[in-house]
Amino acid sequence: MSVRDEFDAWAADGRDRGMEERHWHTAKHVLARMPVEDGDRVLDLGTGSGYALRALAESTGMTRGYGLDGAPEMARNAREYALDAAPAADLGFVVGDFGHLPFADDSLDHAVTMEAFYYSDDPDETLREVARVLKPGGTFYCAVNYYEENVHSHGWQDTISVDMTRWDAAQYRDAFREAGLHVAEQDNVADRETDIPPAEEFPTDSWDTREAMVERYRELGTLLTVGVAP
C-alpha cells in the first residue's frame, strides 16, 4: 500500500487525531525549541493533522506556515482543523512528495517533521530537498521515535503496510551532513506524561516489565536531530 492510501485511510477514520494526542507529549518540547521569529516562514513535513503548525501559529509570530503531506485526506483534515482552531493564522496545507518539495531555493526559514521522516521513500533525497529550500541559517528539526536505539519500536514495521526507515542516531547525523546541513544538536526528548503503572501491575497487555516502559518513554523518548543550512 502507498503512503497516500495508508494515511488517507487513517484520516478517514480519525486516527490523525490519535497520532496528534500520542505525539504531543514530546512534540510540544521540540516545537518550543524552534527559533521561530516574527515574519518567518515554516514548513511542516508530513503534517498529518497539522497540529505542529497550529501550535506554532499560537506561540510564535511566523508569517506563513506550510503543511505538506502525501495523503490528500490528511491535508484536507488539517485544513479544516486549522480553520476551527487558528482561523486568523496564515496556514496552508498541500499534498506533495517529500522528495520534490514545491518551494523555491532558499525560501523557508525553518522546517520541522514530527514522527513522519521515516515514511520517506528516499530519506537522503528528502534531506537534500530540505537543505535546498532552507535559507542560509535556516533550521530543520527532525523528530522520530522509530529509530534503531529504540528497540521498543522495532516491531512497528509489522503493523503498517508502508516501508519505514530505521536509522540510528549516527546515521541521522551522517545523512544530515551528507545533504549539506550542519548538525547543531541531537538528543532524546523524553515523554514525561504517559502514565506508567507501578511495578506490581506488570505485565500489562503491552509491556512485560515496568523497566522496559520507563526506558521507552522516559529515557529513549523521541530522537531529535537539528540541522542548520550553511
Side-chain angles (χ1 to χ4, degrees):
M1 185 180 291
S2 69
V3 168
R4 173 176 179 155
D5 291 341
E6 178 78 31
F7 290 103
D8 271 347
W10 285 40
D13 64 17
R15 278 183 284 174
D16 53 346
R17 284 296 207 185
M19 287 191 297
E20 175 178 337
E21 293 171 3
R22 291 193 303 275
H23 295 156
W24 184 243
H25 294 174
T26 53
K28 62 184 176 183
H29 299 296
V30 172
L31 298 174
R33 289 163 63 169
M34 292 185 68
V36 178
E37 299 180 345
D38 291 356
D40 283 351
R41 292 153 55 94
V42 181
L43 168 65
D44 179 16
L45 191 59
T47 194
S49 69
Y51 70 93
L53 280 186
R54 296 198 307 272
L56 287 172
E58 293 172 2
S59 63
T60 74
M62 70 177 183
T63 294
R64 177 73 165 157
Y66 304 93
L68 183 143
D69 206 280
E73 289 301 310
M74 281 286 190
R76 183 184 65 80
N77 282 3
R79 194 174 298 114
E80 292 182 359
Y81 300 153
L83 288 174
D84 292 338
D90 192 3
L91 305 180
F93 297 92
V94 298
V95 178
D97 183 348
F98 282 21
H100 300 87
L101 300 181
F103 302 97
D105 296 0
D106 305 332
S107 61
L108 300 174
D109 298 283
H110 306 284
V112 60
T113 180
M114 292 297 312
E115 310 300 352
F117 182 82
Y118 37 71
Y119 295 125
S120 172
D121 290 337
D122 186 337
D124 293 300
E125 181 181 47
T126 298
L127 287 172
R128 289 192 294 270
E129 276 291 276
V130 169
R132 178 184 66 80
V133 301
L134 284 177
K135 297 177 182 178
T139 67
F140 177 44
Y141 280 66
C142 178
V144 297
N145 58 15
Y146 179 73
Y147 62 101
E148 186 63 31
E149 288 88 347
N150 181 9
V151 297
H152 309 290
S153 72
H154 289 187
W156 297 353
Q157 178 65 85
D158 297 333
T159 68
I160 190 169
S161 60
V162 176
D163 288 337
M164 301 167 69
T165 294
R166 195 176 74 214
W167 283 347
D168 62 27
Q171 286 175 294
Y172 271 96
R173 295 193 302 272
D174 289 344
F176 270 51
R177 292 170 180 139
E178 184 65 26
L181 296 168
H182 300 305
V183 177
E185 57 181 311
Q186 185 183 67
D187 63 349
N188 294 83
V189 180
D191 176 346
R192 302 290 182 189
E193 297 181 40
T194 293
D195 183 56
I196 299 179
E200 58 268 21
E201 294 185 19
F202 287 81
T204 69
D205 291 341
S206 302
W207 296 94
D208 290 334
T209 68
R210 189 175 192 275
E211 289 77 12
M213 193 173 181
V214 167
E215 180 181 55
R216 160 67 184 91
Y217 291 104
R218 304 296 193 256
E219 298 173 13
L220 295 171
T222 292
L223 176 69
L224 173 65
T225 308
V226 180
V228 179

Short mmCIF file of all heavy atoms in Angstrom, two decimals, residues 26-58:
data_model
loop_
_atom_site.label_atom_id
_atom_site.label_comp_id
_atom_site.label_asym_id
_atom_site.label_seq_id
_atom_site.Cartn_x
_atom_site.Cartn_y
_atom_site.Cartn_z
N THR A 26 5.88 14.79 23.43
CA THR A 26 7.25 15.18 23.09
C THR A 26 7.27 16.32 22.07
O THR A 26 8.17 17.16 22.10
CB THR A 26 8.05 13.99 22.54
OG1 THR A 26 7.34 13.40 21.45
CG2 THR A 26 8.28 12.95 23.62
N ALA A 27 6.26 16.36 21.20
CA ALA A 27 6.25 17.38 20.15
C ALA A 27 6.27 18.80 20.73
O ALA A 27 6.94 19.68 20.20
CB ALA A 27 5.03 17.20 19.26
N LYS A 28 5.54 19.02 21.81
CA LYS A 28 5.48 20.37 22.35
C LYS A 28 6.85 20.87 22.81
O LYS A 28 7.15 22.07 22.73
CB LYS A 28 4.47 20.45 23.48
CG LYS A 28 4.76 19.59 24.68
CD LYS A 28 3.61 19.69 25.69
CE LYS A 28 3.78 18.78 26.86
NZ LYS A 28 2.61 18.86 27.80
N HIS A 29 7.69 19.94 23.26
CA HIS A 29 9.03 20.34 23.69
C HIS A 29 9.93 20.61 22.50
O HIS A 29 10.77 21.52 22.54
CB HIS A 29 9.63 19.25 24.58
CG HIS A 29 8.83 18.98 25.82
ND1 HIS A 29 8.67 19.92 26.81
CD2 HIS A 29 8.13 17.88 26.22
CE1 HIS A 29 7.91 19.42 27.77
NE2 HIS A 29 7.57 18.19 27.43
N VAL A 30 9.76 19.84 21.43
CA VAL A 30 10.52 20.08 20.20
C VAL A 30 10.14 21.44 19.62
O VAL A 30 11.02 22.26 19.29
CB VAL A 30 10.24 18.97 19.17
CG1 VAL A 30 10.86 19.32 17.82
CG2 VAL A 30 10.77 17.63 19.67
N LEU A 31 8.86 21.72 19.52
CA LEU A 31 8.41 22.98 18.92
C LEU A 31 8.85 24.18 19.75
O LEU A 31 9.16 25.25 19.20
CB LEU A 31 6.89 22.97 18.78
CG LEU A 31 6.33 21.88 17.85
CD1 LEU A 31 4.80 21.87 17.90
CD2 LEU A 31 6.82 22.07 16.43
N ALA A 32 8.88 24.02 21.06
CA ALA A 32 9.29 25.12 21.94
C ALA A 32 10.75 25.49 21.73
O ALA A 32 11.16 26.62 22.06
CB ALA A 32 9.05 24.75 23.40
N ARG A 33 11.53 24.57 21.22
CA ARG A 33 12.95 24.84 21.00
C ARG A 33 13.25 25.48 19.64
O ARG A 33 14.36 25.94 19.40
CB ARG A 33 13.73 23.52 21.14
CG ARG A 33 13.78 23.04 22.57
CD ARG A 33 14.16 21.58 22.72
NE ARG A 33 15.50 21.27 22.23
CZ ARG A 33 16.10 20.10 22.45
NH1 ARG A 33 15.48 19.16 23.17
NH2 ARG A 33 17.30 19.87 21.98
N MET A 34 12.26 25.51 18.77
CA MET A 34 12.49 26.09 17.44
C MET A 34 12.62 27.61 17.53
O MET A 34 11.78 28.27 18.16
CB MET A 34 11.35 25.72 16.49
CG MET A 34 11.30 24.24 16.14
SD MET A 34 10.01 23.88 14.91
CE MET A 34 10.71 24.70 13.46
N PRO A 35 13.64 28.19 16.89
CA PRO A 35 13.87 29.64 16.98
C PRO A 35 13.04 30.42 15.97
O PRO A 35 13.56 31.22 15.19
CB PRO A 35 15.36 29.75 16.68
CG PRO A 35 15.63 28.64 15.72
CD PRO A 35 14.72 27.50 16.16
N VAL A 36 11.72 30.21 15.99
CA VAL A 36 10.83 30.88 15.04
C VAL A 36 10.57 32.30 15.51
O VAL A 36 10.19 32.53 16.66
CB VAL A 36 9.50 30.10 14.90
CG1 VAL A 36 8.57 30.83 13.94
CG2 VAL A 36 9.77 28.68 14.42
N GLU A 37 10.75 33.25 14.61
CA GLU A 37 10.59 34.66 14.94
C GLU A 37 9.52 35.30 14.06
O GLU A 37 9.04 34.70 13.09
CB GLU A 37 11.93 35.40 14.75
CG GLU A 37 13.04 34.88 15.65
CD GLU A 37 14.34 35.63 15.46
OE1 GLU A 37 14.47 36.35 14.44
OE2 GLU A 37 15.23 35.50 16.32
N ASP A 38 9.15 36.53 14.41
CA ASP A 38 8.16 37.26 13.63
C ASP A 38 8.59 37.33 12.17
O ASP A 38 9.74 37.66 11.86
CB ASP A 38 8.00 38.69 14.17
CG ASP A 38 7.34 38.72 15.54
OD1 ASP A 38 6.95 37.64 16.03
OD2 ASP A 38 7.22 39.82 16.12
N GLY A 39 7.65 37.03 11.28
CA GLY A 39 7.92 37.12 9.85
C GLY A 39 8.47 35.86 9.22
O GLY A 39 8.63 35.79 8.01
N ASP A 40 8.75 34.83 10.02
CA ASP A 40 9.33 33.60 9.48
C ASP A 40 8.31 32.76 8.73
O ASP A 40 7.11 32.80 9.01
CB ASP A 40 9.94 32.76 10.60
CG ASP A 40 11.28 33.28 11.08
OD1 ASP A 40 11.82 34.21 10.44
OD2 ASP A 40 11.79 32.78 12.09
N ARG A 41 8.83 31.98 7.78
CA ARG A 41 8.04 31.02 7.00
C ARG A 41 8.51 29.62 7.38
O ARG A 41 9.71 29.33 7.32
CB ARG A 41 8.23 31.28 5.50
CG ARG A 41 7.62 32.60 5.04
CD ARG A 41 8.34 33.15 3.80
NE ARG A 41 8.39 32.22 2.70
CZ ARG A 41 7.50 32.17 1.71
NH1 ARG A 41 6.47 33.00 1.71
NH2 ARG A 41 7.63 31.32 0.71
N VAL A 42 7.56 28.76 7.74
CA VAL A 42 7.88 27.45 8.32
C VAL A 42 7.19 26.34 7.54
O VAL A 42 5.99 26.44 7.22
CB VAL A 42 7.45 27.38 9.80
CG1 VAL A 42 7.81 26.02 10.40
CG2 VAL A 42 8.10 28.51 10.60
N LEU A 43 7.94 25.28 7.26
CA LEU A 43 7.40 24.08 6.62
C LEU A 43 7.28 22.96 7.63
O LEU A 43 8.22 22.66 8.37
CB LEU A 43 8.33 23.63 5.49
CG LEU A 43 8.08 22.23 4.90
CD1 LEU A 43 6.72 22.18 4.20
CD2 LEU A 43 9.20 21.84 3.93
N ASP A 44 6.10 22.32 7.66
CA ASP A 44 5.87 21.13 8.47
C ASP A 44 5.76 19.94 7.51
O ASP A 44 4.79 19.81 6.77
CB ASP A 44 4.58 21.30 9.28
CG ASP A 44 4.26 20.07 10.13
OD1 ASP A 44 5.15 19.23 10.34
OD2 ASP A 44 3.10 19.97 10.60
N LEU A 45 6.77 19.08 7.53
CA LEU A 45 6.89 17.99 6.57
C LEU A 45 6.22 16.73 7.13
O LEU A 45 6.63 16.23 8.17
CB LEU A 45 8.37 17.73 6.29
CG LEU A 45 8.76 16.80 5.15
CD1 LEU A 45 8.22 17.33 3.83
CD2 LEU A 45 10.28 16.67 5.08
N GLY A 46 5.19 16.24 6.43
CA GLY A 46 4.39 15.15 6.97
C GLY A 46 3.47 15.67 8.05
O GLY A 46 3.44 15.18 9.16
N THR A 47 2.69 16.67 7.69
CA THR A 47 1.95 17.47 8.67
C THR A 47 0.86 16.71 9.42
O THR A 47 0.47 17.09 10.52
CB THR A 47 1.36 18.72 8.00
OG1 THR A 47 0.94 19.65 8.98
CG2 THR A 47 0.19 18.36 7.08
N GLY A 48 0.34 15.62 8.82
CA GLY A 48 -0.73 14.88 9.50
C GLY A 48 -1.94 15.77 9.74
O GLY A 48 -2.49 16.38 8.83
N SER A 49 -2.34 15.88 10.99
CA SER A 49 -3.49 16.71 11.35
C SER A 49 -3.16 18.20 11.39
O SER A 49 -4.04 19.02 11.62
CB SER A 49 -4.04 16.29 12.72
OG SER A 49 -3.12 16.64 13.75
N GLY A 50 -1.89 18.54 11.18
CA GLY A 50 -1.48 19.94 11.19
C GLY A 50 -1.24 20.51 12.58
O GLY A 50 -1.08 21.72 12.74
N TYR A 51 -1.16 19.63 13.59
CA TYR A 51 -1.08 20.13 14.97
C TYR A 51 0.18 20.94 15.24
O TYR A 51 0.16 21.89 16.03
CB TYR A 51 -1.19 18.97 15.96
CG TYR A 51 -0.01 18.03 16.01
CD1 TYR A 51 1.02 18.22 16.91
CD2 TYR A 51 0.06 16.93 15.17
CE1 TYR A 51 2.10 17.34 16.97
CE2 TYR A 51 1.12 16.05 15.22
CZ TYR A 51 2.14 16.26 16.11
OH TYR A 51 3.20 15.40 16.15
N ALA A 52 1.30 20.58 14.59
CA ALA A 52 2.54 21.33 14.84
C ALA A 52 2.42 22.76 14.35
O ALA A 52 2.83 23.71 15.04
CB ALA A 52 3.72 20.62 14.17
N LEU A 53 1.86 22.94 13.16
CA LEU A 53 1.69 24.30 12.64
C LEU A 53 0.70 25.09 13.47
O LEU A 53 0.89 26.29 13.71
CB LEU A 53 1.24 24.25 11.18
CG LEU A 53 2.30 23.99 10.12
CD1 LEU A 53 1.68 24.12 8.74
CD2 LEU A 53 3.49 24.93 10.26
N ARG A 54 -0.37 24.46 13.91
CA ARG A 54 -1.34 25.18 14.75
C ARG A 54 -0.68 25.65 16.04
O ARG A 54 -0.91 26.79 16.49
CB ARG A 54 -2.55 24.29 15.06
CG ARG A 54 -3.37 23.90 13.85
CD ARG A 54 -4.76 23.42 14.23
NE ARG A 54 -4.75 22.36 15.24
CZ ARG A 54 -4.67 21.07 14.98
NH1 ARG A 54 -4.55 20.65 13.72
NH2 ARG A 54 -4.70 20.17 15.95
N ALA A 55 0.16 24.79 16.62
CA ALA A 55 0.84 25.17 17.86
C ALA A 55 1.81 26.32 17.62
O ALA A 55 1.88 27.26 18.42
CB ALA A 55 1.57 23.97 18.44
N LEU A 56 2.55 26.26 16.53
CA LEU A 56 3.49 27.34 16.22
C LEU A 56 2.75 28.65 15.93
O LEU A 56 3.21 29.73 16.31
CB LEU A 56 4.36 26.96 15.03
CG LEU A 56 5.43 25.90 15.30
CD1 LEU A 56 6.11 25.47 13.99
CD2 LEU A 56 6.49 26.41 16.28
N ALA A 57 1.61 28.55 15.27
CA ALA A 57 0.83 29.76 14.98
C ALA A 57 0.35 30.44 16.25
O ALA A 57 0.26 31.67 16.32
CB ALA A 57 -0.37 29.40 14.10
N GLU A 58 0.07 29.64 17.27
CA GLU A 58 -0.40 30.19 18.53
C GLU A 58 0.71 30.76 19.39
O GLU A 58 0.48 31.65 20.21
CB GLU A 58 -1.14 29.10 19.32
CG GLU A 58 -2.44 28.65 18.67
CD GLU A 58 -3.04 27.44 19.37
OE1 GLU A 58 -2.44 26.99 20.38
OE2 GLU A 58 -4.09 26.94 18.92
#
